[in-house]
Amino acid sequence: MAGYAAANAFLDALAAYRQAEGLPGQSIGWGYWQQDTGMTGHLTDTDRNRLTRSGMTPITDEQGLALFDAAVRSPRPHLLATPINLRRLTGSAPPLFTALVRSGTARPTATAGTRNTGLADQLAVLAPDEQDKRVLELVRNTTAAVLAHASPESVDTSRPFSELGFDSLTAVELRNGLADATGHRLPATLVFDYPTPHALARHLRSQLVPSAPQLVLHQLDTLESTLAAITGEDIAGTKITKRLQGLLAKLSRFDSPADEANILDDLRSATNEELFKLVDDDLNIS
């Protein structure tokens, strides 16, 4: 496939070069033909359904001849000859076809620094088992749509994607669908990193619903930024300090006995000078 693409790129450039030199030359990029050929004979129903969802429709012999006649009458060195179903593109146009879709109808895509928090907000109010069920349902429904299954129930969530019939193209299509649904950037290797729908759902849930420690750390970052704006002369600072000290005192209860044993060992082995320095530091004596 890489060699085929390189050969096509060369022919496109050759046609443009010949026309620039005043010589005849034209390169036509064809879509896929309705009649089975060496390039399309291996396509399965899933492959054809994927092409249809992307807006491409097969070329009949009559359409092909008409497109060829139209192409040779054009002065352009490179043309794309394929019927496109614009209704299929509405709201889901691939980047190559976005110029053909009316402004405002193309689907939004997740970009760096942006997050569609709708699903995350919905999950936040659910119990953990309901969160798992909701995300697994999303993965299952999207998988069934990509594979053109009549029902999501036909997808065995414990089977590897490779056994379900996924290849590199359907893997990318699944990634794109889940990226749109979650608002998260997802790698093209998603189905290889998390090889079953169940494993993938667990990963997505961890991305959408942060763990308690992650949530606390995020809140502490926000608190730190807020405290930076408070001066030492602020009256509320005293109340804030006492409140924080109270929280730290509560957290100290979670110290393990091993930590306490280590502290006692350190005190027993400390020199007099080290013990005096510890007391001075604790009482702020200078």
Side-chain angles (χ1 to χ4, degrees):
M1 186 64 72
Y4 183 79
N8 281 339
F10 172 80
L11 292 177
D12 294 343
L14 178 61
Y17 174 78
R18 286 182 60 83
Q19 283 207 14
E21 294 294 317
L23 301 172
Q26 190 173 59
S27 176
I28 303 175
W30 293 96
Y32 79 104
W33 293 75
Q34 188 177 66
Q35 182 178 356
D36 286 344
T37 66
M39 290 293 295
T40 62
H42 67 285
L43 294 179
T44 64
D45 290 341
T46 298
D47 296 326
R48 295 181 184 276
N49 287 331
R50 183 174 63 249
L51 291 170
T52 299
R53 288 197 300 274
S54 71
M56 299 182 66
T57 56
I59 305 172
T60 64
D61 292 343
E62 293 77 11
Q63 287 175 322
L65 291 173
L67 288 169
F68 181 80
D69 289 340
V72 296
R73 291 194 298 269
S74 172
R76 296 178 178 273
H78 180 222
L79 296 167
L80 178 64
T82 182
I84 298 176
N85 187 341
L86 294 180
R87 291 183 179 180
R88 286 280 184 177
L89 294 181
T90 302
S92 59
L96 182 64
F97 297 148
T98 50
L100 301 177
V101 183
R102 287 181 300 176
S103 177
T105 60
R107 70 183 175 189
T109 56
T111 56
T114 65
R115 288 290 181 267
N116 177 7
T117 59
L119 180 59
D121 291 341
Q122 294 171 24
L123 293 174
V125 299
L126 299 177
D129 57 338
E130 289 296 322
Q131 293 173 351
D132 291 334
K133 182 179 179 181
R134 179 67 179 276
V135 178
L136 183 59
E137 181 183 13
L138 169 64
V139 174
R140 196 176 198 180
N141 290 345
T142 309
T143 299
V146 169
L147 295 178
H149 286 191
S151 170
E153 283 68 30
S154 62
V155 176
D156 185 347
T157 58
S158 64
R159 291 183 63 192
F161 285 108
S162 58
E163 294 182 7
L164 292 175
F166 272 80
D167 56 22
S168 58
L169 293 178
T170 46
V172 171
E173 187 175 354
L174 176 65
R175 184 278 307 269
N176 292 344
L178 293 175
D180 286 343
T182 62
H184 281 247
R185 275 193 177 277
L186 301 173
T189 58
L190 195 66
V191 302
F192 304 104
D193 298 334
Y194 307 94
T196 67
H198 197 270
L200 177 54
R202 287 201 306 268
H203 167 69
L204 291 178
R205 179 184 176 276
S206 70
Q207 299 296 307
L208 293 167
V209 184
S211 64
Q214 290 175 322
L215 185 59
V216 170
L217 288 173
H218 174 71
Q219 292 173 336
L220 286 175
D221 289 338
T222 303
L223 177 61
E224 185 176 8
S225 299
T226 304
L227 290 175
I230 299 178
T231 65
E233 298 177 357
D234 196 319
I235 299 177
T238 303
K239 297 180 180 179
I240 293 172
T241 301
K242 290 182 178 179
R243 183 71 180 275
L244 290 175
Q245 288 173 339
L247 291 175
L248 288 174
K250 291 180 181 179
L251 288 175
S252 65
R253 300 175 188 172
F254 297 100
D255 291 340
S256 65
D259 293 334
E260 296 178 1
N262 291 334
I263 294 174
L264 290 174
D265 288 340
D266 290 340
L267 290 175
R268 291 191 185 99
S269 62
T271 63
N272 291 338
E273 290 77 8
E274 291 173 339
L275 289 174
F276 287 131
K277 183 178 187 305
L278 178 62
V279 173
D280 291 344
D281 292 342
D282 189 60
L283 297 177
N284 293 322
I285 298 174
S286 57

